[in-house]
Amino acid sequence: MSTFKAPKGTYDLIPPNSARFLAVRDAISAPLRNSGYGYIETPGFESVELFARGVGESTDIVTKEMYTLTTKGGSELALRPEGTASVLRAALEANLHKAGNLPVKLWYSGSYYRYERPQKGRYRHFSQVGAEAIGAEDPALDAELIILADQAYRSLGLRNFRILLNSLGDKECRPAYRAALQDFLRGLDLDEETLRRAEINPLRVLDDKRADVQKQLVGAPLLEDHLCEACKAYHEEVRELITAAGVVFEDDPKLVRGLDYYTRTTFEFVHDGLGSQSAVGGGGRYDGLSEMIGGPALPSVGWALGVDRTVLALEAEGVELDLPATTSVFAVPMGEEARRLLFAKVTELRKVGIAADFCYGGKGLKSAMKSAHRSGARFTVVAGERDLAEGVVQLKDMESGEQTAVGVGEIIAELEARLG
Ligand code: ATP
Ligand code: MG
């Protein structure tokens, strides 16, 4: 071990486990890549102000969880705690919304940072795959995103997740609801911080996980009873479209999310095998965000799915991903001449797209064969002086144990044929 350890609340992805993370990222993004979403990558840090305005001054993310720093030049930066504000900032900066092709559909994948109390499923560095559809108000777009996330989870073999759905209303109907909720909250027996929250962002009190708070919230006014006609119709259309697509969901009238920018459609994906860190992903519509960060009105919708928790959910369900073998052919040379020949063959195999590896370090046959087994290769190619004198190499099928001599000139074609 070195003198250093990974910082608190972080962990390293190392083989063979890391392959599952790659597969999860791939599976989550596959439905997006297949649905008109283009890949976007933004910096790992942004101006603090972008998140303060875009995520919300009163959110836990901004008040407690952000890693901020002052550069030598005096700029206030923050490691990104989430993706939406950055993606929207980048789209606006590149004028993607002016190209006359709305919505702008983007997907991303990367590292996010939040200074949280580390526990299982909650880390200070974690990874998300996300999608944003910018510049269109259309219930079919909200439905598309929910359907694609559902498809992503199902393609991984996850079954025990639930989709919670709610509408947070819009600037027409939310203010009146907000006031009604505030009135209700003021009458409760809440601690100081929660009372303060009730004044700044009362909807978020609904999201309080503490049992004593939840007990008091039983009779709270619900947004569904305060939605304006337009929001009601919009929400009904989203529900119908996802139902028609066969997506099973639950209406959750108390679902709000930790970020301030959500309007109308709001959803969360939860997995019941994860204990208290049960949210594997979430998202919703954020019609006002663009204006909040200085852009034009651009109604938009998006989601972010957590890769770390998705991997934990797969473990909780005992799902084994069907991961492709990393190595199909392992080459074991015995002697200098064989070393040159097999090294060239391995290069050739790789060029034709066969995953191949080589026994480095001049190992003896016994330990070389151990490496071959460990590599998971389906075939091993062994060659020694005597083989080369006869113009052959030994091709060993690692499943059946059967070994055959194959001409040096035919080995590539033979392996291509056997590996199909
Ligand atoms: P939670 O309620 O669990 O704090 P959140 O509402 O803060 O989640 P979002 O901002 O919606 O989470 O992020 C989307 C997804 O990213 C979450 O559903 C989760 O899978 C993942 N995620 C968020 N924070 C963390 C974290 N600290 N560690 C690991 N994954 C995280
Ligand atoms: Mg959180």
Side-chain angles (χ1 to χ4, degrees):
M1 219 173 82
S2 89
T3 327
F4 300 102
K5 280 190 168 177
K8 183 174 170 189
T10 72
Y11 62 101
D12 304 305
L13 293 181
I14 34 189
N17 234 358
S18 50
R20 288 167 55 222
F21 274 75
L22 273 183
V24 166
R25 287 196 187 109
D26 214 48
I28 296 176
S29 60
L32 300 169
R33 288 180 270 135
N34 198 27
S35 309
Y37 289 76
Y39 179 65
I40 184 167
E41 203 168 309
T42 63
F45 50 81
E46 297 272 353
S47 148
V48 169
E49 193 55 25
L50 172 69
F51 300 118
R53 280 211 247 162
V55 178
E57 300 270 17
S58 78
T59 59
D60 284 352
I61 291 183
V62 169
T63 56
K64 297 182 192 155
E65 298 172 3
M66 250 188 337
Y67 282 92
T68 55
L69 61 110
T70 308
T71 66
K72 291 193 179 81
S75 311
E76 301 285 339
L77 299 178
L79 299 187
R80 59 183 181 189
E82 59 102 48
T84 304
S86 314
V87 167
L88 189 56
R89 192 272 305 144
L92 290 171
E93 192 172 331
N95 282 321
L96 296 185
H97 60 296
K98 287 188 185 156
N101 192 23
L102 296 176
V104 176
K105 302 208 290 186
L106 302 166
W107 76 273
Y108 58 87
S109 169
S111 289
Y112 296 86
Y113 306 87
R114 294 184 194 175
Y115 191 76
E116 305 214 55
R117 196 162 68 76
Q119 49 201 294
K120 185 159 187 191
R122 189 175 296 287
Y123 310 105
R124 292 180 172 178
H125 164 256
F126 59 98
S127 141
Q128 289 183 339
V129 175
E132 314 291 350
I134 297 163
E137 188 185 282
D138 183 337
L141 197 54
D142 308 41
E144 167 176 289
L145 279 163
I146 296 171
I147 293 165
L148 293 177
D150 182 71
Q151 203 178 316
Y153 286 138
R154 287 190 187 282
S155 77
L156 282 165
L158 272 184
R159 291 291 173 268
N160 303 335
F161 67 90
R162 294 180 291 131
I163 302 175
L164 309 179
L165 183 68
N166 193 19
S167 172
L168 292 181
D170 63 5
K171 55 179 185 292
E172 294 304 316
C173 51
R174 198 153 66 190
Y177 170 71
R178 191 178 182 278
L181 180 62
Q182 236 160 14
D183 272 347
F184 174 86
L185 295 174
R186 283 179 191 135
L188 301 184
D189 177 25
L190 299 169
D191 60 276
E192 200 127 320
E193 191 188 335
T194 312
L195 282 173
R196 208 172 320 121
R197 180 174 291 162
E199 294 309 313
I200 306 169
N201 193 342
L203 269 74
R204 289 196 43 246
V205 179
L206 296 177
D207 199 27
D208 202 306
K209 302 286 190 291
R210 290 170 296 180
D212 59 310
V213 176
Q214 278 303 324
K215 218 173 357 182
Q216 297 191 65
L217 291 174
V218 169
L222 295 176
L223 230 168
E224 61 181 352
D225 303 322
H226 288 76
L227 290 182
C228 60
E229 287 309 314
C231 283
K232 228 183 265 175
Y234 194 97
H235 195 56
E236 200 38 52
E237 181 71 14
V238 173
R239 294 176 78 258
E240 277 170 26
L241 286 167
I242 62 177
T243 305
V247 171
V248 180
F249 64 93
E250 296 166 25
D251 291 304
D252 181 351
K254 281 200 188 133
L255 177 73
V256 294
R257 309 219 342 101
L259 291 68
D260 277 353
Y261 51 57
Y262 287 107
T263 51
R264 290 197 171 167
T265 314
T266 310
F267 48 87
E268 197 156 88
F269 301 87
V270 295
H271 193 278
D272 295 321
L274 295 184
S276 52
Q277 269 56 256
S278 62
V280 287
R285 184 156 272 286
Y286 49 92
D287 291 344
L289 179 58
S290 174
E291 287 151 298
M292 281 157 76
I293 63 168
L298 281 173
S300 307
V301 56
W303 51 241
L305 308 188
V307 176
D308 310 71
R309 287 190 200 166
T310 302
V311 169
L312 291 173
L314 289 168
E315 278 167 20
E317 276 194 43
V319 177
E320 278 301 331
L321 296 179
D322 193 14
L323 299 175
T326 45
T327 302
S328 300
V329 177
F330 195 84
V332 173
M334 291 293 126
E336 197 42 43
E337 196 188 337
R339 200 172 136 78
R340 273 173 208 218
L341 177 84
L342 289 193
F343 189 71
K345 293 292 177 194
V346 161
T347 303
E348 228 177 298
L349 282 170
R350 291 169 176 168
K351 272 191 198 151
V352 300
I354 292 176
D357 204 355
F358 187 75
C359 188
Y360 293 99
K363 289 181 185 154
L365 187 59
K366 206 169 151 201
S367 110
M369 288 314 286
K370 243 188 224 162
S371 302
H373 276 289
R374 229 177 268 141
S375 77
R378 179 67 216 280
F379 295 101
T380 299
V381 177
V382 189
E385 268 169 45
R386 203 182 315 150
D387 299 309
L388 295 189
E390 290 169 20
V392 299
V393 295
Q394 301 297 327
L395 176 59
K396 184 168 181 184
D397 182 324
M398 302 297 275
E399 266 173 30
S400 65
E402 174 205 351
Q403 188 167 310
T404 36
V406 178
V408 168
E410 281 92 62
I411 186 66
I412 304 286
E414 178 68 20
L415 282 165
E416 277 187 293
R418 290 215 198 182
L419 288 162

